[in-house]
Amino acid sequence: MKRKHSYIPWIYSFPALLLIGIIIVFPILYTGFISLTNMNLFHWMNYKVIGLGNYVRALSKINSGFFAALMTTILWTAINMVLQIVLAFFIALGLNAPGLKLKRLYKTLLMFPWAMPAYVSILLWRVGIYNTEFGLLNKIAVMLGQPKVNFLSENIPAFLSCLVLNLWMALPFMIMMIDGALQSIDRSYYESAVMDGAGFMKKNIYITVPCIRPVIAPAVILTTFTTFKQFDIIYLLTMQKGSYTGATLQTVITYAHQNAFVSNNYGLSSAVSIVIFGIILLFSIFTNKSVKEEEANEKV
Amino acid sequence: MKKYRMKKTIGYIALNIVFILLCLAGLIPILYAISLAFSKSGSALSSGLFLLPKNPTLENFRKILFEEPFFVWLKNSVILSVGTMVIAMTVSVEAAYAFSRFRFRGRRSALKMLLLLNAFPQILSMFAIFRLYKIMHLLNLHLGLILIYAGSMCIFGIWNMKGYFDTIPIEIEEASKIDGAGNLKMLVKIILPLARPAIIVTSVMVIIFVWNEYLFATTFMLQENSYSLAGGLYQLQADDYGRNWSIFSAAAILVSVPVLIIFFCIQKYMVSGLTAGGVKG
């Protein structure tokens, strides 16, 4: 539809764009500015511009922790996504088995972890499941005559604990998405495949996976972003203000937060933030392209 | 053939067992919290693995409701959610409409830009906002926090509702144009009622988002009486969770129940709403 006055849509969207400009865009630019200064607790007002020093510090010194955090983040995202997609795929397949009578009940029950407020779930897990004294896991361990385990005091167990919790919280969404996608597949494909003698594996590799790929691609990308920028789980489980558990696990996001609000090194933290912004920007441009290509291929 | 059927039945029994175990794994942390919330404070922590408390009591609920400033937190959470919802929705409805209906220069790039901005974690610019707020004396004010929430939810709102506006046939608008309705009148009288489902779902999701947000709430609200539920609960468990743990469980349940109810009411639309927004670009 063509409208003559091309300023009208801008009038309509002006309030929204203004709000976004002030609350989202301007702080990002301001972060960029702070990253060029030596602002910290002692230079709160009388900071001065020091150029790219903070970036050099964040990127060049291995011991500044940024690279370790980046590696942890990549590992965290990759393991989480692989486990989530594989597990959710098989669970959704199971839910769609034609003779499963209680499927609606199972679906509803499986959704609960998704519906709980995230910080409530995390805090419940921290004390209710992982805690050394009151945690359910350690109570079970004691009943079985095993020694108590301190799940959050060292990096590797803490990483695994965070991983399990993230799976618990994120799987329902993925199951739901894949379940929806599975239902959109035409049954007749399977019938003719069975005629041709295809088994369970072949049916899934050649029919199910290609059919659901375009449908779940946006959900997977969305989840990859949320997993990459996941902050709550690691922060609330291991490093709340005043109650560190001993693990020194850092992702890039917690690293930036730590530098800004705990060690008050605002310049360095802003530089780290800008670098992460850059990574996310590149990543989203890249994924945007690949989704477009996939869509184009579908149409041909 | 009989053997085949046997095999199938066993397969389904196994599948059902797997799903029962999965559901248990999903629910145990929640059930455990519920059982603690109903058991005597202190006794739950000592020993025992029972999911059913021995002497169920409402003591913890009484304590959280009347000995802690629960109602103050509740009031603050309601102010924050409703305020955010009002601001975010008033600005994003017209924007979504404009992006859906008009074809103008810069539309595609503006939409892409919004998507990119949405991918940015706001935590990263949190310090910048904090500093700006401190200079402008907006800390500890509901308005300040509402603006932050509204800004980030506004992008979500635009994308979510644009997807729905796209599905409303344009002929309806043309007809009302012929009948002499102006732009604004048409939007209010015709389009908004038609888009009501999308507007309701988006509003509810904004409210749930604010209800569940704790990081900005705890960083920007530094006074006891401006805490939201999230801030209050966070404080409650940070103090001394050994003693407060069963009270915390009771509070966690009180906070989660409304969200759970709303969630299951709009769950159907949520999935379609999220996918519809993502695919079209």
Side-chain angles (χ1 to χ4, degrees):
Chain A
M1 184 172 62
K2 276 187 182 166
R3 298 256 167 106
K4 278 178 219 156
H5 311 293
S6 64
Y7 58 88
I8 288 181
W10 291 113
I11 294 178
Y12 278 17
S13 47
F14 178 73
L17 296 181
L18 182 72
L19 184 68
I20 294 169
I22 295 174
I23 296 297
I24 313 255
V25 180
F26 183 67
I28 293 177
L29 298 177
Y30 193 52
T31 306
F33 171 70
I34 297 173
S35 74
L36 300 175
T37 68
N38 66 344
M39 191 188 292
N40 57 33
L41 204 58
F42 309 107
H43 299 278
W44 174 252
M45 274 304 167
N46 58 343
Y47 55 86
K48 56 178 189 280
V49 175
I50 58 163
L52 294 172
N54 288 318
Y55 290 90
V56 176
R57 234 176 105 195
L59 293 173
S60 68
K61 277 193 198 164
I62 300 291
N63 62 5
S64 72
F66 180 67
F67 273 104
L70 188 63
M71 285 301 127
T72 313
T73 316
I74 292 172
L75 199 67
W76 161 260
T77 315
I79 297 180
N80 257 309
M81 289 315 291
V82 170
L83 283 178
Q84 248 181 66
I85 295 170
V86 171
L87 288 175
F89 179 73
F90 283 106
I91 295 173
L93 268 191
L95 278 176
N96 277 286
L100 194 69
K101 293 202 182 79
L102 293 170
K103 129 171 50 177
R104 285 185 63 85
L105 175 70
Y106 291 144
K107 258 192 218 176
T108 313
L109 292 180
L110 284 174
M111 285 312 121
F112 268 88
W114 180 21
M116 291 285 284
Y119 74 94
V120 170
S121 310
I122 300 168
L123 294 178
L124 285 180
W125 273 70
R126 175 181 166 124
V127 192
I129 306 290
Y130 290 140
N131 189 281
T132 332
E133 276 131 75
F134 332 119
L136 198 59
L137 286 178
N138 274 322
K139 280 190 182 171
I140 294 173
V142 168
M143 265 183 38
L144 298 175
Q146 300 291 319
K148 284 182 176 176
V149 185
N150 202 337
F151 289 96
L152 302 172
S153 68
E154 269 168 85
N155 282 349
I156 292 174
F159 185 85
L160 293 177
S161 306
C162 292
L163 193 74
V164 170
L165 175 51
N166 190 51
L167 281 179
W168 185 81
M169 285 168 61
L171 264 179
F173 175 72
M174 213 32 116
I175 296 173
M176 194 91 154
M177 287 295 164
I178 297 182
D179 178 61
L182 286 178
Q183 274 156 21
S184 67
I185 302 176
D186 195 341
R187 288 280 137 202
S188 59
Y189 290 152
Y190 291 112
E191 281 157 23
S192 53
V194 172
M195 295 280 226
D196 291 342
F200 176 77
M201 282 295 281
K202 280 205 165 146
K203 274 198 293 189
N204 281 322
I205 294 172
Y206 294 110
I207 302 175
T208 317
V209 173
C211 278
I212 62 171
R213 217 175 61 176
V215 187
I216 64 163
V220 169
I221 290 170
L222 194 81
T223 320
T224 313
F225 275 113
T226 19
T227 315
F228 184 87
K229 61 183 186 181
Q230 176 59 252
F231 173 83
D232 302 358
I233 293 182
I234 294 155
Y235 177 76
L236 286 180
L237 273 191
T238 69
M239 48 197 296
Q240 283 177 57
K241 247 178 252 166
S243 50
Y244 288 86
T245 56
T248 52
L249 206 61
Q250 297 273 14
T251 67
V252 280
I253 308 276
T254 60
Y255 181 76
H257 179 267
Q258 173 113 2
N259 273 296
F261 284 94
V262 182
S263 54
N264 299 317
N265 203 335
Y266 311 123
L268 181 64
S269 146
S270 299
V272 172
S273 297
I274 294 294
V275 172
I276 305 169
F277 279 152
I279 295 173
I280 292 178
L281 191 70
L282 282 179
F283 186 49
S284 46
I285 291 171
F286 177 73
T287 49
N288 228 335
K289 272 221 178 89
S290 65
V291 171
K292 282 274 153 56
E293 271 158 24
E294 198 147 288
E295 271 174 18
N297 287 337
E298 288 299 309
K299 274 165 201 154
V300 171
Chain B
M1 208 59 207
K2 210 172 180 184
K3 210 173 174 186
Y4 174 72
R5 195 173 293 163
M6 260 286 269
K7 214 173 141 192
K8 215 167 178 182
T9 319
I10 292 174
Y12 273 113
I13 292 173
L15 194 62
N16 274 302
I17 292 174
V18 168
F19 271 109
I20 291 169
L21 290 178
L22 272 175
C23 291
L24 272 180
L27 291 177
I28 276 181
I30 303 171
L31 293 176
Y32 186 56
I34 294 176
S35 97
L36 280 189
F38 283 103
S39 59
K40 267 202 203 109
S41 352
S43 76
L45 308 173
S46 50
S47 65
L49 239 180
F50 303 101
L51 278 180
L52 282 175
K54 272 182 206 139
N55 306 307
T57 163
L58 290 172
E59 179 64 13
N60 295 316
F61 289 94
R62 193 191 62 76
K63 272 192 186 146
I64 182 69
L65 286 177
F66 301 110
E67 285 175 20
E68 302 281 345
F70 187 83
F71 289 105
V72 178
W73 301 337
L74 182 71
K75 187 197 77 192
N76 288 328
S77 270
V78 170
I79 294 175
L80 289 174
S81 320
V82 174
T84 305
M85 195 265 280
V86 169
I87 294 185
M89 293 308 282
T90 22
V91 298
S92 56
V93 165
E94 307 103 76
Y97 177 75
F99 280 120
S100 161
R101 280 302 192 249
F102 298 93
R103 293 290 173 272
F104 52 93
R105 192 189 286 258
R107 172 182 170 274
R108 282 190 72 86
S109 27
L111 278 171
K112 266 208 193 115
M113 201 60 206
L114 289 182
L115 214 54
L116 279 185
L117 287 177
N118 202 29
F120 282 148
Q122 223 181 350
I123 305 173
L124 292 183
S125 49
M126 192 160 91
F127 169 69
I129 304 178
F130 188 83
R131 188 180 158 87
L132 290 169
Y133 270 34
K134 192 153 194 177
I135 295 170
M136 295 190 298
H137 300 289
L138 273 168
L139 286 179
N140 282 323
L141 289 182
H142 286 133
L143 179 69
L145 207 49
I146 288 175
L147 282 179
I148 299 175
Y149 291 150
S152 49
M153 287 318 277
C154 169
I155 301 180
F156 163 77
I158 293 177
W159 264 97
N160 213 32
M161 287 185 292
K162 176 199 162 283
Y164 197 86
F165 283 138
D166 285 344
T167 64
I168 300 175
I170 202 118
E171 286 78 15
I172 296 176
E173 286 184 30
E174 279 161 2
S176 70
K177 269 271 156 66
I178 292 168
D179 291 344
N183 269 333
L184 198 67
K185 196 171 176 192
M186 183 182 69
L187 184 62
V188 175
K189 286 266 167 70
I190 305 204
I191 300 300
L192 291 189
L194 281 175
R196 206 168 61 188
I199 292 173
I200 291 174
V201 172
T202 315
S203 315
V204 168
M205 284 171 82
V206 171
I207 288 178
I208 291 186
F209 168 82
V210 178
W211 199 264
N212 291 350
E213 208 285 333
Y214 78 94
L215 187 63
F216 278 84
T218 49
T219 314
F220 284 69
M221 293 293 179
L222 305 162
Q223 283 160 0
E224 187 95 348
N225 59 1
S226 52
Y227 279 155
S228 65
L229 283 172
L233 254 68
Y234 181 85
Q235 205 55 38
L236 202 63
Q237 64 83 40
D239 277 353
D240 175 6
Y241 53 72
R243 198 184 56 232
N244 283 336
W245 172 220
S246 30
I247 301 177
F248 172 78
S249 308
I253 289 162
L254 287 180
V255 172
S256 308
V257 166
V259 182
L260 286 170
I261 293 172
I262 297 176
F263 180 91
F264 282 104
C265 290
I266 67 158
Q267 171 201 354
K268 235 189 342 201
Y269 310 98
M270 225 145 119
V271 173
S272 63
L274 286 171
T275 41
V279 182
K280 296 164 205 154

